[in-house]
Amino acid sequence: MGGVKLAVNPAAAELAARQILGADIKGHAICKVMLAQPVDIEAEFYVSYVLDRAPGFFLAIASAEGGMEIEEVAADRPEAVARIPVGQERGWTRRRRPRSPRRRSSRHRRPRC
């Protein structure tokens, strides 16, 4: 189940929200929904940053093909997905590293719905 639904009227929006609330999408419990007016989509892009564990640096992954099924795009058309190493030459320095978030409890807690 995906987390984006289109509704043609308020009743359909309520039904979609009820189906999503409390669901589990890729290990994340859904506790809230956001409603927005639909818009015409002119273009979709996909951009993410991931840690490539083998070499130990981050990659920016981007595609002009957009959408959420980047794995399918990468498998079918690898040339449509750019993989750009980030900070590979120097890595993170004290000046360039991102600020650490506040320390969290050592126990992992799932959000309550």
Side-chain angles (χ1 to χ4, degrees):
M1 171 194 348
V4 177
K5 304 290 182 193
L6 295 177
V8 295
N9 57 45
E14 181 180 358
L15 177 62
R18 288 183 187 279
Q19 291 172 343
I20 293 172
L21 283 169
D24 184 276
I25 299 177
K26 294 187 178 183
H28 299 280
I30 307 304
C31 302
K32 298 178 184 180
V33 295
M34 181 182 91
L35 299 177
Q37 292 290 327
V39 296
D40 291 331
I41 298 172
E42 187 174 313
E44 256 183 88
F45 300 93
Y46 178 91
V47 178
S48 72
Y49 292 92
V50 297
L51 175 61
D52 191 341
R53 294 181 191 268
F57 56 81
F58 286 93
L59 285 175
I61 299 176
S63 176
E65 304 223 358
M68 296 301 295
E69 303 301 330
I70 193 67
E71 293 87 2
E72 289 179 21
V73 174
D76 295 343
R77 294 175 307 287
E79 71 282 357
V81 180
R83 292 169 179 83
I84 305 154
V86 176
Q88 182 176 359
E89 298 81 28
R90 294 180 44 197
W92 291 111
T93 64
R94 284 187 178 266
R95 276 190 11 216
R96 293 179 58 206
R97 73 176 178 210
R99 293 184 186 263
S100 299
R102 289 185 190 168
R103 288 190 154 229
R104 295 184 179 171
S105 168
S106 59
R107 294 182 304 176
H108 174 71
R109 287 186 238 155
R110 289 189 71 141
R112 291 185 181 156
C113 292

